[in-house]
């Protein structure tokens, strides 16, 4: 099943009600259509086992399978499965019946409820397999709440409205090889880091190509826009952070500088529009002494507006006050200038106070979060979850 086992871990400080909510949202819901499983009779939403071990509802299996070959590609592990080899998941049906009979953790009759997670609640989600394929980056377009997502689909860039309606897409496989991140300039131009041909590419919001910056990067990864409209790009291969100034109207490069040159495999980049600070996530060498054997530690560096180092902290130091080892997959700033980090190891979102203290913001309904948008005007967080190929919106309701 497409479930993060860490989200179901039992800890002494967890209340039974929270555990039951996590069971409901992580086990009893199809992670493709987000409908609750219904084990009754010939229901379209009966939980079905795939040969690979994942579970989908019957309706999604029929929708994803080839009408003639009767085969489908598992949306989570990509294994090719024979539809005739699927079977009813009796264990989930029994669990759901048990919860329903006990009247604990049962879904409300009015539809999906918001689930408490840290200090924020999940209010809506959109996307899913078939709409997004292994998404890697997200950005907001203008003040309307329109979102831009890069992924591994036939068209690499997808534009969604504030309510999740797909507006348009662009960037064919030949135009964009392997997108890793996306940002939007104040003028509304979409900037994509393309690891496929080691370039930075700029498009209009409708998908018209503006320019491509090549022969500069070895592995361009994270990208964001600073308070002056400059583009900041991390290069995971060379360990640098570049600042690029463009004239998108004329399609020309005005300036290219490298203010930081001593990074170790930098990836996610975020710029604070309030203070001008810049945050960079580094992926360090593997820690062979860690119990998991293949744990890759991470480090967060936060710089002042002039790129002088304000502070840095690694995953080991952050984990001292936590029950598990943190792995920072991305970083962002909220409207007040606070650092927000994404922890893909525990599938959580944290607020970082003064570079040392962590406060959980979101701790449920995430599988493998990779991207984040902080909206200051309505105090919402929009999370890109590559684990179930979705965009999830949380709010402090």
């Amino acid at each position: 099943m497409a479930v993060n086992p860490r989200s179901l871990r039992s800890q002494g400080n967890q209340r039974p009600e929270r555990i039951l909510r996590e069971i409901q949202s992580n086990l009893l819901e199809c992670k493709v259509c987000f409908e609750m499983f219904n084990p009754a009779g010939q229901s379209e939403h009966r939980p079905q086992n795939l040969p690979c071990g994942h579970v989908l509802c019957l309706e999604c299996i029929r929708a994803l399978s080839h009408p003639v070959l009767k085969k489908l590609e598992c949306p989570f592990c990509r294994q090719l499965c024979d539809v005739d080899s699927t079977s009813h998941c009796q264990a989930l049906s029994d669990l759901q019946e048990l919860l329903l009979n006990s009247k604990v953790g049962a879904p409300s009759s009015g539809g999906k409820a918001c689930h408490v997670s840290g200090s924020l609640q999940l209010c809506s989600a959109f996307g899913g397999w078939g709409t997004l394929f292994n998404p890697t980056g997200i950005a907001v377009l203008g003040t309307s709440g329109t979102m831009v997502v890069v992924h591994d689909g036939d068209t690499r860039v997808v534009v969604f409205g504030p309510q999740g309606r797909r507006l348009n897409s662009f960037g064919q496989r030949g135009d964009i090889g392997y997108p890793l991140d996306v940002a939007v300039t104040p003028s509304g131009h979409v900037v994509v880091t393309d690891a496929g041909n080691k370039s930075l590419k700029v498009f209009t919001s409708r998908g018209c190509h503006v320019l491509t910056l090549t022969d500069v990067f070895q592995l361009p990864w994270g990208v964001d826009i600073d308070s002056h409209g400059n583009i900041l790009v991390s290069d995971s291969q060379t360990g640098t952070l570049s600042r690029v100034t463009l004239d998108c109207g004329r399609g020309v490069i005005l300036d290219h500088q490298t203010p930081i040159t001593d990074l170790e495999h930098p990836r996610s980049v975020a710029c604070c529009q309030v203070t001008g600070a810049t945050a960079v996530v580094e992926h360090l060498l593997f820690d062979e002494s860690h119990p998991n054997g293949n744990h890759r530690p991470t480090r967060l560096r936060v710089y002042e507006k002039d790129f002088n180092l304000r502070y840095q902290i690694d995953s080991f130091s952050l984990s001292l006050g936590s029950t598990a080892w943190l792995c920072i997959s991305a970083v962002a700033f909220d409207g007040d200038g606070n650092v927000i980090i994404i922890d893909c190891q525990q599938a959580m979102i944290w607020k970082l106070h003064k570079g040392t203290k962590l406060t959980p913001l979101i701790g449920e309904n995430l599988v493998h979060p990779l991207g984040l948008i902080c909206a200051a005007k309505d105090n919402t967080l929009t999370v890109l979850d590559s684990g179930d190929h979705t965009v999830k919106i949380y709010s402090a309701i």
Side-chain angles (χ1 to χ4, degrees):
M1 288 176 287
V3 176
N4 182 3
R6 298 181 190 87
S7 66
L8 298 178
R9 63 188 182 277
S10 178
Q11 297 178 4
N13 59 355
Q14 281 190 309
R15 295 182 299 175
E17 293 83 358
R18 176 174 178 177
I19 296 174
L20 289 171
R21 282 196 301 268
E22 291 190 9
I23 290 174
Q24 178 183 326
S25 62
N26 286 284
L27 291 178
L28 303 183
E29 178 184 87
C30 177
K31 292 304 179 182
V32 173
C33 65
F34 299 104
E35 294 292 337
M36 295 298 296
F37 288 129
N38 184 355
Q42 298 299 316
S43 170
E44 295 296 306
H45 295 292
R46 290 181 63 192
Q48 297 290 116
N49 289 309
L50 296 181
C52 60
H54 292 105
V55 177
L56 303 179
C57 72
L58 182 60
E59 183 177 33
C60 287
I61 288 179
R62 291 172 176 172
L64 295 175
S65 61
H66 192 281
V68 177
L69 300 178
K70 300 297 183 182
K71 294 182 180 295
L72 78 154
E73 187 180 76
C74 174
F76 307 109
C77 68
R78 298 295 188 92
Q79 180 175 325
L80 191 63
C81 302
D82 193 329
V83 174
D84 294 334
S85 299
T86 63
S87 60
H88 176 58
C89 185
Q90 189 62 44
L92 283 187
S93 295
D94 291 344
L95 176 60
Q96 192 165 43
E97 184 177 358
L98 176 65
L99 293 178
L100 289 172
N101 289 341
S102 64
K103 298 182 180 180
V104 179
S108 61
S109 59
K112 294 182 184 179
C114 290
H115 305 291
V116 177
S117 53
S119 62
L120 302 179
Q121 297 176 350
L122 175 63
C123 296
S124 62
F126 60 89
W129 186 261
T131 301
L132 294 174
F133 299 86
N134 301 321
T136 54
I138 186 170
V140 64
L141 178 61
T143 59
S144 64
T146 302
M147 288 165 277
V148 182
V149 178
V150 290
H151 71 137
D152 195 28
D154 291 332
T155 50
R156 304 303 213 187
V157 184
V158 186
V159 182
F160 293 99
Q163 306 304 318
R165 184 170 67 90
R166 181 168 178 157
L167 302 179
N168 68 293
S169 61
F170 59 87
Q172 300 291 333
R173 289 179 180 270
D175 299 327
I176 301 177
Y178 190 77
L180 290 177
D181 202 4
V182 62
V184 179
T185 69
S187 60
H189 288 83
V190 178
V191 184
V192 179
T193 51
D194 187 356
N197 63 352
K198 306 175 182 178
S199 64
L200 184 75
K201 297 178 178 177
V202 182
F203 303 85
T204 67
S205 60
R206 301 300 300 175
C208 297
H209 179 261
V210 175
L211 64 88
T212 297
L213 180 58
T214 58
D215 301 325
V216 173
F217 307 104
Q218 292 298 315
L219 184 55
W221 200 293
V223 62
D224 202 5
I225 310 299
D226 69 14
S227 56
H228 298 290
N230 301 308
I231 302 170
L232 296 186
V233 185
S234 66
D235 191 322
S236 188
Q237 186 69 33
T238 62
T240 59
L241 182 73
S242 295
R243 180 172 60 190
V244 181
T245 305
L246 304 178
D247 184 338
C248 294
R250 293 188 297 157
V252 297
I253 302 169
L254 301 178
D255 190 29
H256 173 229
Q257 300 179 12
T258 309
I260 305 176
T261 59
D262 61 344
L263 299 169
E264 185 172 342
H265 303 294
R267 295 191 179 181
S268 175
V269 176
C271 301
C272 181
Q273 302 303 311
V274 177
T275 65
T278 299
V280 183
V281 176
E282 300 172 279
H283 282 232
L284 311 179
L285 296 176
F286 279 98
D287 183 3
E288 298 180 356
S289 63
H290 190 268
N292 290 340
N294 61 350
H295 173 76
R296 180 182 287 276
T298 54
R299 180 169 58 202
L300 173 68
R301 289 193 185 189
V302 179
Y303 295 87
E304 303 288 356
K305 188 175 182 179
D306 57 2
F307 294 106
N308 286 322
L309 183 64
R310 178 188 296 178
Y311 66 84
Q312 67 180 34
I313 189 167
D314 58 30
S315 53
F316 173 77
S317 300
L318 289 173
S319 302
L320 292 177
S322 177
T323 57
W325 194 287
L326 275 68
C327 181
I328 307 172
S329 55
V331 63
F333 289 94
D334 66 13
D336 297 321
N338 298 307
V339 176
I340 310 296
I341 62 174
I342 297 179
D343 174 14
C344 64
Q345 188 79 12
Q346 300 185 85
M348 294 187 66
I349 310 295
W350 304 83
K351 178 186 287 187
L352 183 61
H353 297 274
K354 298 180 179 179
T356 57
K357 183 181 177 182
L358 289 172
T359 299
L361 296 179
I362 303 172
E364 297 175 352
N365 304 298
L366 295 175
V367 183
H368 193 81
L370 280 185
L372 182 67
I373 297 174
C374 301
K377 63 179 181 178
D378 54 4
N379 196 30
T380 63
L381 291 181
T382 301
V383 182
L384 181 66
D385 195 336
S386 69
D388 53 13
H389 320 281
T390 60
V391 176
K392 299 172 181 177
I393 301 175
Y394 293 80
S395 180
I397 299 176

